Amino acid sequence: MTKRIGIIGAGTAGLQLGLHLRRHGVDVTIVTDLAPDDYAGSRLPNTVAHHAVTVERERALGVDFWPTEDHGYFGHHYYVGGPEPLRFYGDYKSPSRAVDYRIYHPRLMEEFLDRGGKIEIRQIVHDDVAPLAARFDLLVVCTGKGPFGQMFGRVPEHSPFDRPQRQLCVGVFRGISQLPTRAVVWSASPGAGEMIEIPFLTFGGMASALVFENHPGGDLEVLAQTRYDDDPKAFRALALGKLRAHYPMTAERIEDERDFDLANGPLDILQGGVTPAVRRSHIVLDNGVLAVALGDVQATVDPVLGQGGNMASYAAWILGEEIVAQDVLDHRFVEHVEHRRGDRVLSATRWTNFMLDTLRTLPPEFLGFVQAMSRSRPLADEFTDGFNYPERQWDRFASPGRTAAWVAETASATDDAAVPALVG
Amino acid sequence: MTKRIGIIGAGTAGLQLGLHLRRHGVDVTIVTDLAPDDYAGSRLPNTVAHHAVTVERERALGVDFWPTEDHGYFGHHYYVGGPEPLRFYGDYKSPSRAVDYRIYHPRLMEEFLDRGGKIEIRQIVHDDVAPLAARFDLLVVCTGKGPFGQMFGRVPEHSPFDRPQRQLCVGVFRGISQLPTRAVVWSASPGAGEMIEIPFLTFGGMASALVFENHPGGDLEVLAQTRYDDDPKAFRALALGKLRAHYPMTAERIEDERDFDLANGPLDILQGGVTPAVRRSHIVLDNGVLAVALGDVQATVDPVLGQGGNMASYAAWILGEEIVAQDVLDHRFVEHVEHRRGDRVLSATRWTNFMLDTLRTLPPEFLGFVQAMSRSRPLADEFTDGFNYPERQWDRFASPGRTAAWVAETASATDDAAVPALVG
Ligand SMILES: Cc1cc2nc3c(=O)[nH]c(=O)nc-3n(C[C@H](O)[C@H](O)[C@H](O)COP(=O)(O)OP(=O)(O)OC[C@H]3O[C@@H](n4cnc5c(N)ncnc54)[C@H](O)[C@@H]3O)c2cc1C
Ligand SMILES: Cc1cc2nc3c(=O)[nH]c(=O)nc-3n(C[C@H](O)[C@H](O)[C@H](O)COP(=O)(O)OP(=O)(O)OC[C@H]3O[C@@H](n4cnc5c(N)ncnc54)[C@H](O)[C@@H]3O)c2cc1C
């Protein structure tokens, strides 16, 4: 039985799925709006860290072109501001890695073509879907968080927000010296926002991605509203001031303020907001062919915990395995896919949405948890490595009793067992 | 952390769960309405075959007191009546075994008590639930298909029927000689019903359970409406006549009609009907304790495919593992349970409901499938062993295309490859 698979969108989901299917000799066509040559001149789309679980899948697909030995990082420094700031560190079991998608995606497109995949370059609008579906046994829609994916309805019970929860300002910067051992610096400024500094491979080599997650109405929101292009110097001064005021653990490594700027020019900045949403896993098109939602189309999360791309890669792998394994691509096929990808996808969503709320409101039991992490390295390690496994993370945060039980178990294994009570 | 688990109902689900938990030292109390001594004088409750997957769990629990070497059976003979009756046979990979629950349940209760389990004998009514829940960290409700379990609401999307689809007449009989190699005889009489003859261990040794699944309004319905007690002789004559007319593959082994009767007296017969239903997996009681539905309470199926007890045993095992594994018995805990038991439970339900319809309406593609089985031993074997794995069976019946693909793949491996086209 030969299966013809159509994929709309050459992002991480579409490319990893396409490469997976090609490894199994499946006939697969990606239709996407950007040609490989278009990427270099395009705006920064995001700053995506791939965790070890994703890097492992890239190895299995033979597309780990940016080995973690050269470009990876090894854990998270945490900084939580306030009257008595906390600083602590947690290790991964295996390193993560972040490559500019303007490098990553065209390279994987090339590879997909080399391996017999077909790519058609055009932007798909809704009227194109029916004729496209007629050519395939299954249509996979992974066009990212843009409007096209809305053809899959929102699932209200898993989509608690109707607007962005953070005003984002995201840039790739130079002038911040690297830590002796590469790591993410994950900072929170109570009442204002969070910022994630990521060692980031971009066109000019390693630089620093700064993801400013600004609370609406807070002191940092201005970063999302001030255009770099209007006055680069003013923007840099603004960003520097905010860094010094809110995120010292990054600011302290800016040795010469004159070096602090976007790494490769004015396209290296992105501003806006993400409305988290979970959408239906599939729809049946008029000709009976299934369209399956994948990646951000199925579940869009705020980038505060770096889950979207990893989840897209995971879901692409599962979908690939099921396409290969199953003879008939019908409702039951989708059930198998959902059964396997659902818990991780939903857990990443819930954990992220939970953190968006919790980091804004900082309830005492959460501060107690952060304090416990600052005193227990094993706890900080488990939390950090947990970025790989959102379903385990959700096991720990789904209820205050779960967090308390986890902390009691993990922190009691350490010397410094003076862990505060977490739940009243 | 010590967990106190309360279970209502000492059926297959409750006892296997209780024994599982005792193996892990968990504090567990079963509250049930029948004491071990009550069973011998009670009416036949059902005639349950445990498939190999269930027997394996019984071995793991150390309660396989009726080894399949002595009491097991090895496959299914199929008989499908009509102008050109079909007869064929399919093998299990490992044998099944059916023991009268009036022997099985009290024996397992004893064993549970010996292993430190606690049993309280009383019938629970709704007002008892709150005080009961206050004593435990989790309440498991497995009171079978009776009214008590209705505290868990029906899930309409998985409960297509609002009345029984078969009028049952079920008895344990003597006077039918055993086949040379023990097997179920699974017969269908188009337009009238199905009958399952099961080698059955009851009080007097091995006998034959006959499960008459009579179509409402058909020639066999009278079997469900005629009381044995009113006139045993008339009932026996009626049953014999119907057997000879509809189910020759069993009738032909009644050598002396005078020997044909209920095996152990007038309590060995059961008449009525089962309304299939899937109910909510859990509810939160007023004191915050979870009540989890298990076994027939969660999903009641018609016995035509012998799935209910096996599904209850499977779900009890999963629930036991998760109770042992998880620190906090909250919503997230139920999610893990559901994620693991859901597909099998739902597949057993869907496959059974599908067969109830299909065996009544006998659409041509289904007759084509039966013909294919009659010509391909590997196909009949796979179908037969599939009684162990309802989720695989549902993979094969969820759509006509799936059945066709399975038949094409399996039957093509045989010599007699003349398989008719199944889907138009
Ligand atoms: C600032 C920021 C930081 C992030 N950081 C992280 C992180 O650290 N870790 C992480 O895991 N995730 C992160 N994410 C999320 C991550 O970017 C997404 O989850 C991931 O890119 C989703 O992959 P995808 O393949 O579903 O969609 P995309 O990668 O967005 O790909 C969509 C593809 O579809 C194409 N396309 C779109 N519309 C059409 C159309 N109509 N017709 C044809 N083609 C179309 C696009 O060109 C593109 O090729 C971040 C996101 C942002 C915004
Ligand atoms: C005729 C027939 C044939 C069948 N054949 C098969 C087969 O071949 N294979 C198969 O897998 N399944 C078969 N089944 C289905 C099988 O019987 C059930 O699925 C199985 O018994 C369910 O187990 P359970 O533990 O959920 O409930 P049950 O075994 O029904 O146990 C319920 C328990 O709860 C107790 N109880 C009930 N109400 C209360 C109360 N209010 N308070 C206290 N205690 C209470 C009862 O005494 C009992 O101990 C058949 C069913 C029938 C009717």
Side-chain angles (χ1 to χ4, degrees):
Chain A
M1 176 167 319
T2 56
K3 295 164 194 154
R4 297 152 308 158
I5 310 298
I7 299 175
I8 314 181
T12 301
L15 287 164
Q16 293 197 5
L17 173 62
L19 288 158
H20 188 123
L21 294 176
R22 284 309 304 149
R23 279 186 102 75
H24 293 88
V26 177
D27 179 342
V28 51
T29 304
I30 298 181
V31 187
T32 194
D33 56 0
L34 291 183
D37 287 346
D38 297 332
Y39 283 85
S42 69
R43 178 166 297 282
L44 179 74
N46 43 38
T47 56
V48 183
H50 285 188
H51 298 309
V53 284
T54 300
V55 174
E56 212 176 283
R57 281 186 291 270
E58 292 166 334
R59 283 190 196 125
L61 293 174
V63 294
D64 176 23
F65 302 123
W66 307 274
T68 51
E69 299 89 76
D70 303 329
H71 306 289
Y73 62 86
F74 301 89
H76 295 177
H77 292 278
Y78 298 94
Y79 171 89
V80 179
E84 293 179 58
L86 293 173
R87 286 178 183 231
F88 53 96
Y89 177 79
D91 246 335
Y92 290 131
K93 294 213 174 89
S94 305
S96 297
R97 184 244 295 132
V99 178
D100 197 321
Y101 271 6
R102 294 170 295 178
I103 298 173
Y104 182 90
H105 285 163
R107 180 72 188 85
L108 263 59
M109 287 171 89
E110 251 178 57
E111 200 64 26
F112 174 72
L113 287 167
D114 281 355
R115 299 182 188 179
K118 287 163 273 184
I119 298 188
E120 301 174 12
I121 305 293
R122 59 197 165 103
Q123 188 174 39
I124 298 296
V125 295
H126 279 179
D127 287 349
D128 302 329
V129 173
L132 204 57
R135 295 166 46 198
F136 302 107
D137 300 309
L138 180 77
L139 202 58
V140 179
V141 180
C142 42
T143 49
K145 61 187 179 306
F148 188 77
Q150 291 169 10
M151 66 193 271
F152 301 88
R154 272 163 64 106
V155 179
E157 74 182 286
H158 299 305
S159 307
F161 303 122
D162 60 2
R163 71 196 66 184
Q165 300 299 296
R166 295 292 186 271
Q167 295 299 321
L168 302 178
C169 173
V170 183
V172 184
F173 290 91
R174 56 180 168 81
I176 306 170
S177 56
Q178 297 277 330
L179 288 159
T181 299
R182 269 201 296 263
V184 149
V185 178
W186 200 102
S187 299
S189 176
E194 302 82 33
M195 194 200 65
I196 307 106
E197 176 198 340
I198 310 168
F200 192 75
L201 180 64
T202 183
F203 296 107
M206 290 305 289
S208 305
L210 299 186
V211 181
F212 287 93
E213 296 261 341
N214 310 305
H215 295 185
D219 179 51
L220 288 162
E221 192 177 21
V222 62
L223 283 172
Q225 291 154 349
T226 308
R227 301 285 139 218
Y228 178 90
D229 291 342
D230 291 348
D231 185 345
K233 213 168 146 193
F235 181 89
R236 284 162 52 201
L238 175 72
L240 266 170
K242 295 301 187 193
L243 277 174
R244 299 227 184 271
H246 292 273
Y247 301 120
M249 212 172 161
T250 293
E252 67 200 18
R253 276 174 292 111
I254 302 177
E255 278 146 33
D256 184 339
E257 297 199 349
R258 286 164 304 181
D259 291 343
F260 178 76
D261 201 349
L262 295 180
N264 316 293
L267 290 173
D268 266 5
I269 185 166
L270 174 74
Q271 290 160 310
V274 172
T275 300
V278 171
R279 292 191 199 80
R280 288 177 53 201
S281 59
H282 69 288
I283 53 182
V284 183
L285 300 171
D286 288 346
N287 66 342
V289 166
L290 277 179
V292 173
L294 183 68
D296 276 9
V297 169
Q298 196 205 359
T300 302
V301 294
D302 184 279
V304 68
L305 300 176
Q307 293 299 309
N310 289 286
M311 183 158 89
S313 159
Y314 175 79
W317 185 273
I318 299 291
L319 183 58
E321 285 190 341
E322 292 295 329
I323 289 172
V324 170
Q326 303 228 13
D327 289 329
V328 181
L329 304 177
D330 59 358
H331 270 101
R332 178 68 178 154
F333 155 79
V334 180
E335 270 187 11
H336 281 286
V337 172
E338 264 317 288
H339 191 254
R340 292 186 59 201
R341 77 180 174 180
D343 193 42
R344 179 165 292 185
V345 169
L346 219 51
S347 293
T349 299
R350 290 162 157 182
W351 177 42
T352 302
N353 288 344
F354 165 82
M355 284 293 203
L356 287 172
D357 261 350
T358 299
L359 290 165
R360 203 168 39 73
T361 56
L362 294 175
E365 69 268 18
F366 183 74
L367 287 175
F369 163 69
V370 174
Q371 261 156 32
M373 272 208 292
S374 75
R375 295 182 201 177
S376 163
R377 176 66 186 268
L379 195 60
D381 287 349
E382 281 199 5
F383 177 73
T384 303
D385 202 60
F387 280 64
N388 281 282
Y389 307 101
E391 67 283 4
R392 291 187 204 164
Q393 218 75 319
W394 188 237
D395 281 347
R396 299 162 177 164
F397 291 105
S399 64
R402 293 191 157 255
T403 312
W406 170 45
V407 169
E409 217 169 81
T410 308
S412 71
T414 69
D415 285 339
D416 188 354
V419 173
L422 293 186
V423 177
Chain B
M1 179 167 315
T2 57
K3 294 165 195 154
R4 295 154 310 160
I5 309 298
I7 299 174
I8 313 182
T12 301
L15 287 164
Q16 292 197 5
L17 173 61
L19 288 159
H20 188 123
L21 294 176
R22 283 309 303 148
R23 278 185 103 75
H24 292 88
V26 177
D27 180 342
V28 52
T29 304
I30 299 182
V31 187
T32 193
D33 56 0
L34 290 184
D37 286 347
D38 298 333
Y39 283 85
S42 69
R43 178 167 296 283
L44 179 75
N46 43 39
T47 55
V48 183
H50 285 189
H51 298 308
V53 285
T54 300
V55 174
E56 213 176 284
R57 281 186 291 270
E58 292 167 333
R59 282 190 197 126
L61 294 173
V63 293
D64 176 24
F65 303 122
W66 306 274
T68 51
E69 299 87 77
D70 304 328
H71 306 290
Y73 62 86
F74 302 89
H76 296 176
H77 292 278
Y78 298 93
Y79 172 88
V80 180
E84 293 178 60
L86 294 173
R87 287 178 182 230
F88 54 96
Y89 177 79
D91 247 334
Y92 291 131
K93 294 212 173 90
S94 305
S96 297
R97 183 244 295 133
V99 178
D100 197 320
Y101 270 6
R102 294 169 296 179
I103 298 173
Y104 182 90
H105 284 163
R107 181 71 187 85
L108 263 59
M109 286 170 89
E110 250 177 57
E111 201 62 27
F112 174 72
L113 287 168
D114 282 354
R115 298 181 188 179
K118 286 163 276 183
I119 298 188
E120 300 174 12
I121 305 293
R122 58 197 166 105
Q123 190 175 36
I124 298 297
V125 295
H126 279 181
D127 288 348
D128 303 328
V129 172
L132 205 58
R135 296 166 45 198
F136 302 107
D137 299 310
L138 181 77
L139 202 59
V140 179
V141 180
C142 43
T143 48
K145 61 187 179 307
F148 187 77
Q150 290 169 11
M151 65 193 273
F152 300 88
R154 270 164 65 108
V155 179
E157 75 182 285
H158 299 305
S159 307
F161 304 122
D162 61 1
R163 71 196 64 184
Q165 300 299 296
R166 295 292 187 273
Q167 294 300 322
L168 302 178
C169 173
V170 183
V172 184
F173 290 90
R174 56 181 169 79
I176 306 170
S177 56
Q178 297 279 330
L179 289 159
T181 299
R182 269 201 297 263
V184 149
V185 178
W186 200 103
S187 298
S189 176
E194 303 82 33
M195 194 201 62
I196 307 106
E197 176 200 339
I198 311 169
F200 192 75
L201 179 63
T202 183
F203 297 107
M206 290 304 289
S208 305
L210 300 186
V211 181
F212 288 92
E213 297 261 339
N214 310 305
H215 295 184
D219 180 50
L220 288 161
E221 193 178 18
V222 61
L223 284 172
Q225 291 153 349
T226 307
R227 302 285 139 217
Y228 178 88
D229 291 342
D230 290 347
D231 185 345
K233 212 169 147 191
F235 181 89
R236 285 161 51 200
L238 175 72
L240 266 170
K242 295 302 186 193
L243 277 174
R244 299 226 184 274
H246 293 273
Y247 302 120
M249 211 172 160
T250 294
E252 67 200 17
R253 276 174 292 112
I254 302 175
E255 278 146 35
D256 184 339
E257 298 199 348
R258 286 163 304 179
D259 291 340
F260 177 76
D261 201 350
L262 296 181
N264 315 292
L267 290 173
D268 266 5
I269 186 166
L270 173 75
Q271 289 160 310
V274 172
T275 301
V278 172
R279 292 191 199 80
R280 288 177 53 200
S281 59
H282 69 289
I283 53 181
V284 183
L285 300 171
D286 288 345
N287 67 343
V289 166
L290 278 178
V292 173
L294 183 69
D296 276 10
V297 170
Q298 196 204 357
T300 302
V301 295
D302 185 280
V304 68
L305 301 175
Q307 293 299 310
N310 289 285
M311 183 158 89
S313 160
Y314 175 79
W317 185 273
I318 299 291
L319 184 57
E321 285 191 340
E322 292 295 328
I323 289 172
V324 170
Q326 303 228 11
D327 290 328
V328 180
L329 305 177
D330 59 359
H331 270 101
R332 178 68 176 153
F333 155 79
V334 180
E335 269 187 13
H336 281 286
V337 171
E338 264 316 288
H339 190 253
R340 292 185 58 201
R341 76 179 175 181
D343 193 42
R344 179 165 291 184
V345 168
L346 218 52
S347 292
T349 299
R350 289 161 158 181
W351 176 42
T352 302
N353 288 343
F354 165 82
M355 282 294 202
L356 287 173
D357 261 349
T358 301
L359 289 165
R360 204 170 37 75
T361 57
L362 293 176
E365 69 268 19
F366 183 75
L367 287 175
F369 163 70
V370 174
Q371 260 156 30
M373 271 208 291
S374 75
R375 295 182 202 176
S376 162
R377 176 64 186 267
L379 195 60
D381 288 349
E382 282 199 4
F383 177 71
T384 303
D385 202 60
F387 279 65
N388 282 283
Y389 307 102
E391 67 283 3
R392 292 188 203 161
Q393 218 75 318
W394 188 237
D395 282 347
R396 299 160 177 165
F397 292 105
S399 64
R402 291 190 159 256
T403 312
W406 170 46
V407 168
E409 217 168 81
T410 308
S412 71
T414 69
D415 285 338
D416 188 353
V419 174
L422 293 187
V423 178

